[in-house]
Amino acid sequence: DQKLNFKTGRKDSKLLGCLKGLAIYISGSSRKRFNAMFYGTIVWDPWLIVSQIICLQCLYYLSLGLFMWILVGSRVPRLTVIYFFDYSVVSTSTVTGWCIMGAFFLNALAGAGYMFLLVERAKKCLDFSATVYIIHLFLCLIYGGWPSSITWWVSNGIGLAVMALLGEWLCIRRELRDIPIRSSRA
């Protein structure tokens, strides 16, 4: 029996190892399947990635709208997109500014839950979180110019960190669960 040595890429005649008592031999054709045996064959699918980004971005703004409506809607006469994209409303000098920052923080928590449901991989959480916040930065640039408020940068930086780290933690908890093995004994 031959196995593929992962370090050298050559075939050796040694036993690879065992997984729960089962000896696994690797041939060159099944190497790709073995590397991803818990998540299926790894295939780069750009349409899946783009659709996940679009879904995350839409859910980000839907939940931000909900949190803005709950926290800010009662404090202002009319809730508009200025509270989403204008950096000048994010401030610590007014109660409305604090409510806006609270909405962004709660939205980061919700975003971590969305990544847990949509992305499902801990190693992709930082990439998707950064993508959501970079798209948000570009929309803010289009709407109100370059954010010159340090409060805006701090609140969005904290939101990015919370979304990425909590999303990774949730996904890692899922990935580390025991795999149920059914016994064929009666």
Side-chain angles (χ1 to χ4, degrees):
D1 290 298
Q2 291 187 346
K3 76 153 188 142
L4 185 66
N5 188 332
F6 288 111
K7 291 182 182 175
T8 63
R10 291 178 282 157
K11 290 188 176 183
D12 296 331
S13 60
K14 291 182 178 179
L15 176 65
L16 174 63
C18 69
L19 178 67
K20 299 263 185 185
L22 298 174
I24 299 173
Y25 294 90
I26 303 299
S27 67
S29 64
S30 64
R31 178 178 183 205
K32 187 175 185 181
R33 187 172 31 127
F34 177 77
N35 286 339
M37 66 187 227
F38 295 114
Y39 289 102
T41 304
I42 296 174
V43 177
W44 187 71
D45 188 4
W47 291 108
L48 174 66
I49 295 169
V50 169
S51 66
Q52 286 174 325
I53 290 170
I54 290 170
C55 285
L56 278 175
Q57 202 71 40
C58 290
L59 288 170
Y60 177 82
Y61 286 117
L62 282 173
S63 61
L64 182 61
L66 175 70
F67 292 129
M68 287 280 189
W69 180 66
I70 292 169
L71 296 175
V72 181
S74 62
R75 305 198 59 76
V76 297
R78 188 166 169 216
L79 188 63
T80 62
V81 294
I82 192 170
Y83 299 103
F84 288 78
F85 301 118
D86 194 1
Y87 65 89
S88 63
V89 296
V90 181
S91 71
T92 57
S93 61
T94 64
V95 176
T96 304
W98 280 101
C99 289
I100 291 169
M101 288 189 294
F104 275 105
F105 180 75
L106 291 173
N107 198 41
L109 295 175
Y114 300 146
M115 281 196 302
F116 174 72
L117 296 173
L118 293 174
V119 177
E120 298 179 344
R121 297 293 308 271
K123 63 193 266 184
K124 295 180 181 180
C125 286
L126 179 61
D127 298 336
F128 280 94
S129 298
T131 302
V132 166
Y133 278 91
I134 288 171
I135 291 171
H136 179 67
L137 171 64
F138 285 138
L139 292 174
C140 290
L141 285 171
I142 292 168
Y143 185 80
W146 184 258
S148 60
S149 168
I150 192 72
T151 310
W152 185 92
W153 287 102
V154 169
S155 66
N156 280 285
I158 290 172
L160 171 63
V162 166
M163 188 173 174
L165 293 174
L166 183 60
E168 283 182 15
W169 182 76
L170 290 170
C171 291
I172 285 173
R173 287 187 46 101
R174 174 187 282 166
E175 291 173 4
L176 293 179
R177 280 191 292 192
D178 290 338
I179 300 171
I181 299 174
R182 294 184 181 161
S183 176
S184 61
R185 294 183 207 166

